[in-house]
Amino acid sequence: MRYYSIQFLRLVFMAMVLYLHMRAYLIIYGQPDGTVFHFIPSAFLAAALPFFSISGFIMAFLIDIGYRRFLPRRLLRIYPTYFCGVAIALVVSYLVWHKPPPANLFAAASLLPLGPVDLPLHVEWTLIYEIAYYIVIAPFTLSKLRRYFVPFLFAWAAAIFFAYYVLGMQDAYIFTTWRTVLLSGFNLYFITGALVYYLQKKMPDWHWSLSVAIICACSAYCVLSSWDRPTGLIKDMREILPWSLCTAASLYAVVKLEDKWRHPLVEAVSNFGDYAYAYYLIHAVILSAFFSMAVYSFGWPLNNVTAFAGLSAVAVFGYLFGRLDMTLHNFFKKRLR
């Protein structure tokens, strides 16, 4: 089964990430305000976390259908494109800034929780969580263990709360170790996303207006609770828990809307969600190189025109990288089928 609603959500969240990272790079290169990309506060830089909910949902679906060779297929979905992105980043870094590869490149490119490293693509801390999630849930792809997956999710959530409130594990969650990556509050996004998959299977359909109301209510809560939030890493459970639940509820509502709002045009647009992974990997490299050359080589002013030129560069080069990603994905998928 192909969930077009999930693909559509990928596009929405990727658009949020692009908007917010565009804002971040404008600030880094000397433009703290004055463009359409400064309207939303920087507190919304947690836009990457909803991708965890989508991943939780999809992995639960794969476990439920008995997805064969789960771990090798998931690792081959992540690593080949990632390594290509790293190679591009190293070339761009050398050509634009004359920087040699970092000393800890191999540790960073492993996508394992090895502590502070220099991330080549600047965004792959989320992939470290993805890989850890795949490793943790892989045993449940076995038919004998599949029925224990949902109880495990609840037990995992309980362990996270115990670690946070009893053991005091409230450190920063970006540069993780094996100890922190498994008990990080960010995993609540994976857990609630996975639980949504099983919940939406059992619950009957409802009127589309209820789904719209849930999406609006959750969006309003997240906006109002984030608007005046100080800039900084989100690691407080009072933020992680309600925001992950809002994301899960919105995910549930969107999936329930799928059959009601199914249309060939919507499905065609949603197919571009397949490119979200490639855009996510490469967009920061493109933006940093574009703004560096725009400011220091060409002396362009940082305004809406320059910002949208940078966005156009991401659209073009990201699409080409997405085509490479799809080629690699289809190549390995055919050989492991």
Side-chain angles (χ1 to χ4, degrees), residues 23-24 39 44 49 53 66 70 78 99 104 117 157 190 214 221 239 253 273 293 310 312 337:
R23 179 185 188 276
F39 176 71
F44 287 84
L49 292 176
S53 295
F70 173 83
I78 295 292
K99 291 175 59 177
N104 55 15
V117 290
F190 290 118
I214 290 174
Y221 174 82
E239 295 175 328
M293 291 187 293
S312 299
R337 183 169 294 167

Side-chain angles (χ1 to χ4, degrees), residues 69-85:
R69 301 176 182 175
F70 173 83
L71 192 56
R73 293 170 76 172
R74 295 317 303 168
L75 296 181
L76 285 172
R77 180 68 187 97
I78 295 292
Y79 278 104
T81 302
Y82 172 66
F83 289 150
C84 290

